[in-house]
């Protein structure tokens, strides 16, 4: 697990609400974030517009990420791969636990930097290659004909590929916002640096 912070703790310009001032649902999210991720600045700021973070968790996670066409284990693998590439320390602490709980193996967690590792099957390899195209730092990312063919022959249908693209786009966009608004701790590999003090 990721325990060391490479940058200072988040220090957003947006107002932070104390845990006791959050609505009950956000207070629960704050508690879970502290338990699983060791920080909850995101939820303190989200207290200014609780319906927005509730939309993200209820609609995106509740209706697409944890449901949808693609099995959750594969989406958890993709989410952790993206957060590792993005260097989101906050995300990585919780995403690793969620991936393991969904059935991603410790060996797969350890091998995320090598998509050709024997611990991944063809479908997982194709998924991880798509993650590499969707990451924040890959401005030339592309679902090439070769990658599309690899995804199809490994067992993904067109609807699943489209769903994965949307899921990865939401996760990547959310990562960008978390970094730009300085709401989460980051690792040295994060392509978006925190503001200088």
């Amino acid at each position: 697990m990721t325990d060391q912070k490479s940058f200072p703790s988040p220090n957003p310009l947006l107002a932070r609400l104390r845990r006791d001032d959050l609505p009950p649902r956000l207070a629960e999210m704050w508690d879970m974030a502290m338990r699983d991720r060791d920080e909850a600045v995101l939820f303190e700021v989200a207290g200014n517009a609780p319906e927005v973070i509730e939309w993200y968790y209820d609609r995106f996670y509740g209706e697409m990420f944890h449901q949808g066409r693609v099995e959750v284990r594969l989406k958890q693998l993709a989410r952790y791969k993206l957060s590792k590439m993005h260097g989101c320390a906050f995300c990585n602490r919780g995403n690793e636990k969620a991936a393991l709980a969904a059935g991603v193996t410790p060996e797969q967690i350890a091998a995320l930097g090598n998509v050709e590792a024997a611990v991944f099957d063809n479908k997982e390899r194709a998924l991880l290659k798509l993650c590499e195209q969707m990451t924040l730092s890959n401005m030339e990312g592309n679902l090439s004909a070769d990658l599309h063919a690899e995804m199809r022959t490994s067992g993904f249908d067109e609807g699943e590929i489209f769903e994965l693209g949307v899921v990865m786009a939401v996760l990547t966009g959310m990562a960008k916002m978390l970094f730009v608004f300085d709401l989460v701790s980051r690792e040295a590999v994060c392509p978006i640096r925190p503001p200088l003090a």
Side-chain angles (χ1 to χ4, degrees), residues 13-42:
L13 294 175
L14 293 174
R16 295 166 64 174
L17 278 65
R18 294 178 329 113
R19 186 238 181 252
D20 293 343
D21 295 331
L22 296 172
R25 178 98 187 283
L26 258 66
E28 289 175 20
M29 292 179 181
W30 189 96
D31 292 341
M32 289 188 334
M34 291 303 293
R35 181 192 70 214
D36 295 339
R37 300 168 189 268
D38 299 322
E39 64 182 84
V41 173
L42 166 62

mmCIF file of all heavy atoms in Angstrom, residues 13-42:
data_model
loop_
_atom_site.group_PDB
_atom_site.id
_atom_site.type_symbol
_atom_site.label_atom_id
_atom_site.label_comp_id
_atom_site.label_asym_id
_atom_site.label_seq_id
_atom_site.Cartn_x
_atom_site.Cartn_y
_atom_site.Cartn_z
ATOM 1 N N LEU A 13 -8.190 26.001 -1.742
ATOM 2 C CA LEU A 13 -8.689 27.352 -1.524
ATOM 3 C C LEU A 13 -10.171 27.338 -1.151
ATOM 4 O O LEU A 13 -10.635 28.241 -0.454
ATOM 5 C CB LEU A 13 -8.478 28.200 -2.780
ATOM 6 C CG LEU A 13 -7.018 28.470 -3.136
ATOM 7 C CD1 LEU A 13 -6.925 29.215 -4.456
ATOM 8 C CD2 LEU A 13 -6.326 29.237 -2.024
ATOM 9 N N LEU A 14 -10.898 26.336 -1.607
ATOM 10 C CA LEU A 14 -12.310 26.233 -1.262
ATOM 11 C C LEU A 14 -12.465 25.952 0.228
ATOM 12 O O LEU A 14 -11.647 25.243 0.826
ATOM 13 C CB LEU A 14 -12.988 25.123 -2.073
ATOM 14 C CG LEU A 14 -13.091 25.368 -3.574
ATOM 15 C CD1 LEU A 14 -13.633 24.137 -4.275
ATOM 16 C CD2 LEU A 14 -13.968 26.570 -3.870
ATOM 17 N N ALA A 15 -13.518 26.488 0.815
ATOM 18 C CA ALA A 15 -13.751 26.327 2.251
ATOM 19 C C ALA A 15 -13.958 24.860 2.610
ATOM 20 O O ALA A 15 -14.576 24.103 1.863
ATOM 21 C CB ALA A 15 -14.987 27.132 2.666
ATOM 22 N N ARG A 16 -13.410 24.494 3.767
ATOM 23 C CA ARG A 16 -13.563 23.140 4.298
ATOM 24 C C ARG A 16 -14.506 23.189 5.494
ATOM 25 O O ARG A 16 -14.348 24.029 6.365
ATOM 26 C CB ARG A 16 -12.201 22.595 4.736
ATOM 27 C CG ARG A 16 -11.243 22.425 3.600
ATOM 28 C CD ARG A 16 -9.803 22.218 4.059
ATOM 29 N NE ARG A 16 -9.629 20.999 4.817
ATOM 30 C CZ ARG A 16 -8.432 20.557 5.220
ATOM 31 N NH1 ARG A 16 -7.327 21.226 4.919
ATOM 32 N NH2 ARG A 16 -8.346 19.448 5.918
ATOM 33 N N LEU A 17 -15.461 22.268 5.502
ATOM 34 C CA LEU A 17 -16.368 22.162 6.647
ATOM 35 C C LEU A 17 -15.826 21.138 7.631
ATOM 36 O O LEU A 17 -15.225 20.130 7.222
ATOM 37 C CB LEU A 17 -17.769 21.728 6.193
ATOM 38 C CG LEU A 17 -18.686 22.832 5.658
ATOM 39 C CD1 LEU A 17 -18.154 23.438 4.384
ATOM 40 C CD2 LEU A 17 -20.081 22.291 5.453
ATOM 41 N N ARG A 18 -16.019 21.401 8.896
ATOM 42 C CA ARG A 18 -15.637 20.418 9.908
ATOM 43 C C ARG A 18 -16.542 19.192 9.770
ATOM 44 O O ARG A 18 -17.680 19.302 9.329
ATOM 45 C CB ARG A 18 -15.778 20.996 11.314
ATOM 46 C CG ARG A 18 -14.825 22.138 11.612
ATOM 47 C CD ARG A 18 -15.018 22.741 13.007
ATOM 48 N NE ARG A 18 -16.389 22.683 13.495
ATOM 49 C CZ ARG A 18 -16.792 21.925 14.536
ATOM 50 N NH1 ARG A 18 -15.948 21.185 15.188
ATOM 51 N NH2 ARG A 18 -18.057 21.939 14.912
ATOM 52 N N ARG A 19 -16.065 18.053 10.166
ATOM 53 C CA ARG A 19 -16.832 16.820 10.062
ATOM 54 C C ARG A 19 -18.198 16.966 10.725
ATOM 55 O O ARG A 19 -19.211 16.541 10.192
ATOM 56 C CB ARG A 19 -16.058 15.663 10.695
ATOM 57 C CG ARG A 19 -16.737 14.310 10.484
ATOM 58 C CD ARG A 19 -17.021 13.667 11.840
ATOM 59 N NE ARG A 19 -17.634 12.371 11.652
ATOM 60 C CZ ARG A 19 -18.927 12.140 11.926
ATOM 61 N NH1 ARG A 19 -19.722 13.093 12.356
ATOM 62 N NH2 ARG A 19 -19.428 10.940 11.745
ATOM 63 N N ASP A 20 -18.247 17.600 11.897
ATOM 64 C CA ASP A 20 -19.510 17.743 12.628
ATOM 65 C C ASP A 20 -20.494 18.682 11.937
ATOM 66 O O ASP A 20 -21.681 18.676 12.269
ATOM 67 C CB ASP A 20 -19.245 18.232 14.049
ATOM 68 C CG ASP A 20 -18.520 17.183 14.874
ATOM 69 O OD1 ASP A 20 -18.504 16.002 14.470
ATOM 70 O OD2 ASP A 20 -17.957 17.553 15.918
ATOM 71 N N ASP A 21 -20.014 19.477 10.970
ATOM 72 C CA ASP A 21 -20.891 20.389 10.240
ATOM 73 C C ASP A 21 -21.383 19.804 8.909
ATOM 74 O O ASP A 21 -22.153 20.444 8.207
ATOM 75 C CB ASP A 21 -20.175 21.720 9.975
ATOM 76 C CG ASP A 21 -19.869 22.466 11.272
ATOM 77 O OD1 ASP A 21 -20.622 22.286 12.255
ATOM 78 O OD2 ASP A 21 -18.869 23.202 11.298
ATOM 79 N N LEU A 22 -20.927 18.606 8.582
ATOM 80 C CA LEU A 22 -21.340 17.959 7.339
ATOM 81 C C LEU A 22 -22.717 17.328 7.509
ATOM 82 O O LEU A 22 -23.069 16.886 8.602
ATOM 83 C CB LEU A 22 -20.338 16.868 6.944
ATOM 84 C CG LEU A 22 -18.921 17.326 6.601
ATOM 85 C CD1 LEU A 22 -18.014 16.114 6.417
ATOM 86 C CD2 LEU A 22 -18.915 18.209 5.359
ATOM 87 N N PRO A 23 -23.495 17.244 6.426
ATOM 88 C CA PRO A 23 -24.748 16.495 6.510
ATOM 89 C C PRO A 23 -24.436 15.035 6.849
ATOM 90 O O PRO A 23 -23.328 14.555 6.587
ATOM 91 C CB PRO A 23 -25.352 16.620 5.121
ATOM 92 C CG PRO A 23 -24.479 17.489 4.325
ATOM 93 C CD PRO A 23 -23.249 17.808 5.107
ATOM 94 N N PRO A 24 -25.377 14.303 7.414
ATOM 95 C CA PRO A 24 -25.105 12.931 7.878
ATOM 96 C C PRO A 24 -24.459 12.019 6.837
ATOM 97 O O PRO A 24 -23.518 11.287 7.149
ATOM 98 C CB PRO A 24 -26.483 12.417 8.298
ATOM 99 C CG PRO A 24 -27.247 13.647 8.655
ATOM 100 C CD PRO A 24 -26.746 14.730 7.745
ATOM 101 N N ARG A 25 -24.921 12.060 5.607
ATOM 102 C CA ARG A 25 -24.352 11.183 4.569
ATOM 103 C C ARG A 25 -22.895 11.507 4.294
ATOM 104 O O ARG A 25 -22.057 10.626 4.164
ATOM 105 C CB ARG A 25 -25.179 11.325 3.290
ATOM 106 C CG ARG A 25 -24.670 10.511 2.134
ATOM 107 C CD ARG A 25 -25.428 9.201 1.992
ATOM 108 N NE ARG A 25 -24.825 8.366 0.998
ATOM 109 C CZ ARG A 25 -24.957 8.524 -0.308
ATOM 110 N NH1 ARG A 25 -25.727 9.486 -0.778
ATOM 111 N NH2 ARG A 25 -24.352 7.720 -1.146
ATOM 112 N N LEU A 26 -22.559 12.797 4.234
ATOM 113 C CA LEU A 26 -21.173 13.178 4.010
ATOM 114 C C LEU A 26 -20.310 12.891 5.236
ATOM 115 O O LEU A 26 -19.133 12.561 5.096
ATOM 116 C CB LEU A 26 -21.057 14.653 3.600
ATOM 117 C CG LEU A 26 -20.837 14.843 2.104
ATOM 118 C CD1 LEU A 26 -22.038 14.386 1.315
ATOM 119 C CD2 LEU A 26 -20.446 16.240 1.789
ATOM 120 N N ALA A 27 -20.886 12.993 6.417
ATOM 121 C CA ALA A 27 -20.143 12.625 7.620
ATOM 122 C C ALA A 27 -19.765 11.145 7.571
ATOM 123 O O ALA A 27 -18.651 10.760 7.953
ATOM 124 C CB ALA A 27 -20.966 12.940 8.864
ATOM 125 N N GLU A 28 -20.666 10.308 7.054
ATOM 126 C CA GLU A 28 -20.353 8.876 6.887
ATOM 127 C C GLU A 28 -19.243 8.692 5.864
ATOM 128 O O GLU A 28 -18.336 7.874 6.065
ATOM 129 C CB GLU A 28 -21.596 8.110 6.434
ATOM 130 C CG GLU A 28 -22.677 7.965 7.493
ATOM 131 C CD GLU A 28 -23.932 7.304 6.937
ATOM 132 O OE1 GLU A 28 -23.862 6.629 5.884
ATOM 133 O OE2 GLU A 28 -24.996 7.475 7.561
ATOM 134 N N MET A 29 -19.305 9.447 4.751
ATOM 135 C CA MET A 29 -18.252 9.375 3.734
ATOM 136 C C MET A 29 -16.916 9.839 4.315
ATOM 137 O O MET A 29 -15.861 9.264 4.021
ATOM 138 C CB MET A 29 -18.626 10.211 2.511
ATOM 139 C CG MET A 29 -19.783 9.672 1.715
ATOM 140 S SD MET A 29 -20.130 10.797 0.317
ATOM 141 C CE MET A 29 -21.532 9.967 -0.419
ATOM 142 N N TRP A 30 -16.963 10.884 5.129
ATOM 143 C CA TRP A 30 -15.762 11.396 5.791
ATOM 144 C C TRP A 30 -15.152 10.295 6.658
ATOM 145 O O TRP A 30 -13.939 10.051 6.607
ATOM 146 C CB TRP A 30 -16.123 12.612 6.640
ATOM 147 C CG TRP A 30 -14.971 13.379 7.204
ATOM 148 C CD1 TRP A 30 -14.400 14.493 6.684
ATOM 149 C CD2 TRP A 30 -14.267 13.100 8.423
ATOM 150 N NE1 TRP A 30 -13.374 14.933 7.502
ATOM 151 C CE2 TRP A 30 -13.267 14.088 8.580
ATOM 152 C CE3 TRP A 30 -14.377 12.111 9.397
ATOM 153 C CZ2 TRP A 30 -12.388 14.113 9.649
ATOM 154 C CZ3 TRP A 30 -13.491 12.128 10.477
ATOM 155 C CH2 TRP A 30 -12.515 13.121 10.592
ATOM 156 N N ASP A 31 -16.003 9.622 7.443
ATOM 157 C CA ASP A 31 -15.528 8.539 8.310
ATOM 158 C C ASP A 31 -14.890 7.413 7.499
ATOM 159 O O ASP A 31 -13.826 6.897 7.859
ATOM 160 C CB ASP A 31 -16.674 7.979 9.156
ATOM 161 C CG ASP A 31 -17.190 8.967 10.198
ATOM 162 O OD1 ASP A 31 -16.469 9.941 10.529
ATOM 163 O OD2 ASP A 31 -18.335 8.765 10.672
ATOM 164 N N MET A 32 -15.538 7.030 6.406
ATOM 165 C CA MET A 32 -14.995 5.961 5.564
ATOM 166 C C MET A 32 -13.680 6.381 4.926
ATOM 167 O O MET A 32 -12.749 5.589 4.830
ATOM 168 C CB MET A 32 -16.009 5.548 4.500
ATOM 169 C CG MET A 32 -17.184 4.799 5.083
ATOM 170 S SD MET A 32 -18.344 4.055 3.904
ATOM 171 C CE MET A 32 -18.218 5.010 2.447
ATOM 172 N N ALA A 33 -13.595 7.634 4.486
ATOM 173 C CA ALA A 33 -12.352 8.116 3.887
ATOM 174 C C ALA A 33 -11.213 8.100 4.906
ATOM 175 O O ALA A 33 -10.096 7.696 4.586
ATOM 176 C CB ALA A 33 -12.547 9.522 3.326
ATOM 177 N N MET A 34 -11.501 8.521 6.118
ATOM 178 C CA MET A 34 -10.463 8.487 7.154
ATOM 179 C C MET A 34 -10.039 7.048 7.465
ATOM 180 O O MET A 34 -8.860 6.778 7.657
ATOM 181 C CB MET A 34 -10.940 9.194 8.418
ATOM 182 C CG MET A 34 -11.078 10.701 8.257
ATOM 183 S SD MET A 34 -9.548 11.528 7.739
ATOM 184 C CE MET A 34 -8.527 11.279 9.189
ATOM 185 N N ARG A 35 -11.007 6.138 7.459
ATOM 186 C CA ARG A 35 -10.701 4.727 7.736
ATOM 187 C C ARG A 35 -9.880 4.099 6.615
ATOM 188 O O ARG A 35 -8.904 3.391 6.868
ATOM 189 C CB ARG A 35 -12.005 3.950 7.928
ATOM 190 C CG ARG A 35 -11.794 2.472 8.254
ATOM 191 C CD ARG A 35 -13.076 1.677 8.152
ATOM 192 N NE ARG A 35 -13.443 1.580 6.735
ATOM 193 C CZ ARG A 35 -14.686 1.562 6.288
ATOM 194 N NH1 ARG A 35 -15.708 1.641 7.122
ATOM 195 N NH2 ARG A 35 -14.932 1.470 5.001
ATOM 196 N N ASP A 36 -10.287 4.354 5.361
ATOM 197 C CA ASP A 36 -9.680 3.658 4.226
ATOM 198 C C ASP A 36 -8.567 4.421 3.530
ATOM 199 O O ASP A 36 -7.750 3.832 2.834
ATOM 200 C CB ASP A 36 -10.754 3.338 3.176
ATOM 201 C CG ASP A 36 -11.800 2.361 3.698
ATOM 202 O OD1 ASP A 36 -11.526 1.628 4.663
ATOM 203 O OD2 ASP A 36 -12.912 2.339 3.125
ATOM 204 N N ARG A 37 -8.541 5.757 3.701
ATOM 205 C CA ARG A 37 -7.609 6.570 2.917
ATOM 206 C C ARG A 37 -6.779 7.543 3.759
ATOM 207 O O ARG A 37 -5.952 8.268 3.226
ATOM 208 C CB ARG A 37 -8.380 7.330 1.838
ATOM 209 C CG ARG A 37 -9.104 6.383 0.886
ATOM 210 C CD ARG A 37 -10.087 7.107 -0.004
ATOM 211 N NE ARG A 37 -10.925 6.197 -0.747
ATOM 212 C CZ ARG A 37 -10.669 5.738 -1.966
ATOM 213 N NH1 ARG A 37 -9.572 6.096 -2.579
ATOM 214 N NH2 ARG A 37 -11.503 4.923 -2.568
ATOM 215 N N ASP A 38 -7.057 7.617 5.049
ATOM 216 C CA ASP A 38 -6.283 8.443 5.987
ATOM 217 C C ASP A 38 -6.395 9.947 5.752
ATOM 218 O O ASP A 38 -5.586 10.715 6.259
ATOM 219 C CB ASP A 38 -4.796 8.059 5.992
ATOM 220 C CG ASP A 38 -4.579 6.626 6.422
ATOM 221 O OD1 ASP A 38 -5.299 6.156 7.327
ATOM 222 O OD2 ASP A 38 -3.694 5.966 5.845
ATOM 223 N N GLU A 39 -7.364 10.378 4.985
ATOM 224 C CA GLU A 39 -7.612 11.807 4.791
ATOM 225 C C GLU A 39 -9.022 11.976 4.237
ATOM 226 O O GLU A 39 -9.571 11.055 3.630
ATOM 227 C CB GLU A 39 -6.593 12.455 3.861
ATOM 228 C CG GLU A 39 -6.625 11.929 2.442
ATOM 229 C CD GLU A 39 -5.565 12.550 1.548
ATOM 230 O OE1 GLU A 39 -4.418 12.080 1.559
ATOM 231 O OE2 GLU A 39 -5.920 13.503 0.827
ATOM 232 N N ALA A 40 -9.594 13.171 4.448
ATOM 233 C CA ALA A 40 -10.978 13.389 4.021
ATOM 234 C C ALA A 40 -11.225 14.829 3.556
ATOM 235 O O ALA A 40 -12.350 15.310 3.610
ATOM 236 C CB ALA A 40 -11.928 13.028 5.156
ATOM 237 N N VAL A 41 -10.199 15.499 3.081
ATOM 238 C CA VAL A 41 -10.340 16.882 2.630
ATOM 239 C C VAL A 41 -11.405 16.992 1.545
ATOM 240 O O VAL A 41 -12.218 17.925 1.539
ATOM 241 C CB VAL A 41 -8.981 17.444 2.143
ATOM 242 C CG1 VAL A 41 -9.146 18.817 1.513
ATOM 243 C CG2 VAL A 41 -7.984 17.481 3.292
ATOM 244 N N LEU A 42 -11.431 16.024 0.629
ATOM 245 C CA LEU A 42 -12.432 16.022 -0.437
ATOM 246 C C LEU A 42 -13.841 16.179 0.121
ATOM 247 O O LEU A 42 -14.634 16.979 -0.373
ATOM 248 C CB LEU A 42 -12.322 14.726 -1.248
ATOM 249 C CG LEU A 42 -13.487 14.388 -2.183
ATOM 250 C CD1 LEU A 42 -13.651 15.449 -3.259
ATOM 251 C CD2 LEU A 42 -13.282 13.005 -2.792
#
